[in-house]
Amino acid sequence: MTERRIIGGDHRITADQHLLDVAHEEEWKQRAAWRVMKFQAEFVEGFDAMEEADLGDAIGVYGSARTPVDSEEYKRGVELGRKLGEAGFSVITGGGPGAMEAANRGAAEAGVKSVGLGIELPFEQGINEFVHIELDFKYFFVRKVMFLKYSCGFCALPGGFGTMDELFEALTLEQTGKVGKFPIALIGTDYWGGLVDWLRDSMLAQGKINAKDVDLLMVTDDLDEAVEHMKKAERHHQ
């Protein structure tokens, strides 16, 4: 059965909009202290729920909500989730459809814990049916902390802005030494190869990053290779 913990809410105007949108600036000034307490509550509830879940070693899987269920990309997502599960990892996704659903489905088929960290959006998305442990957040930054704290590695399936945001958040924290080392695998050389080429040919060539920063990323089509890469940074949450 799915264990559901609703930390966020269901509102057309999201909590992030109330926090960040200039149109809500006056409301924010009037209720600033109250909203800070809401941040705190989301963190406390999120930490409590994730600790209770007792995930052990878990891998965060990013990917597009728009990946069609009947696509080869979706099938690879299922296979990735299954292989991670068979290797003993729990799987954490954003809990939505598409690539996230695929990874959760593979984890469920492998019999490991399948986690969905949902987010309040102005349009319906919902948590996929293959999630065992569901948390719904109002604030993106709280959700990101849960991903980073409870994952010991990350796999990125093809995705859009959300995937890029989460990927580069993880890369930045590792590059700057704000977190310990964790492996990152980009699944799909055709999809991700151009990005890594740009990092090397533009960012690295102009001295904006170091060669070792590019090396933080593995790009592969081999799911077994990706899973082996994840094993390099296993750690257990006590």
Side-chain angles (χ1 to χ4, degrees), residues 124-142:
E124 288 296 327
Q125 186 178 52
I127 297 292
N128 70 71
E129 63 181 299
F130 302 103
V131 165
H132 301 145
I133 301 165
E134 172 185 348
L135 288 78
D136 294 303
F137 294 92
K138 287 185 178 181
Y139 299 101
F140 266 112
F141 65 91
V142 180

Side-chain angles (χ1 to χ4, degrees), residues 20-207:
L20 301 172
D21 196 327
V22 69
H24 300 285
E25 183 175 1
E26 289 304 315
E27 178 189 0
W28 166 255
K29 290 177 181 178
Q30 295 168 16
R31 304 187 65 186
W34 173 246
R35 295 210 181 277
V36 170
M37 291 177 66
K38 291 173 75 174
F39 305 160
Q40 181 180 2
E42 279 211 355
F43 277 118
V44 170
E45 292 180 41
F47 290 144
D48 282 350
M50 294 297 277
E51 292 295 334
E52 289 173 12
D54 191 22
L55 300 179
D57 291 322
I59 300 300
V61 179
Y62 302 137
S64 177
R66 303 182 185 187
T67 301
V69 176
D70 59 353
S71 66
E72 288 300 316
E73 199 172 285
Y74 182 95
K75 292 177 183 177
R76 285 180 61 75
V78 174
E79 187 179 2
L80 174 64
R82 179 177 56 77
K83 285 181 178 289
L84 288 169
E86 290 172 348
F89 293 108
S90 297
V91 171
I92 305 174
T93 80
M100 293 174 281
E101 176 184 300
N104 284 133
R105 182 173 185 169
E109 290 177 358
V112 298
K113 293 176 181 178
S114 176
V115 182
L117 304 181
I119 186 68
E120 176 190 78
L121 295 172
F123 50 84
E124 288 296 327
Q125 186 178 52
I127 297 292
N128 70 71
E129 63 181 299
F130 302 103
V131 165
H132 301 145
I133 301 165
E134 172 185 348
L135 288 78
D136 294 303
F137 294 92
K138 287 185 178 181
Y139 299 101
F140 266 112
F141 65 91
V142 180
R143 180 185 186 230
K144 284 181 177 179
V145 169
M146 299 303 151
F147 261 114
L148 290 161
K149 179 171 177 57
Y150 293 99
S151 299
C152 62
F154 297 96
C155 291
L157 295 161
F161 284 170
T163 300
M164 294 286 281
D165 175 46
E166 292 159 334
L167 171 63
F168 278 94
E169 179 89 36
L171 281 170
T172 300
L173 289 173
E174 184 169 0
Q175 180 205 44
T176 56
K178 298 293 284 186
V179 296
K181 297 293 184 181
F182 46 60
I184 301 172
L186 307 183
I187 312 300
T189 55
D190 286 346
Y191 191 86
W192 294 109
L195 171 64
V196 177
D197 287 343
W198 179 79
L199 294 177
R200 186 176 291 108
D201 296 342
S202 294
M203 281 191 177
L204 178 59
Q206 296 183 36

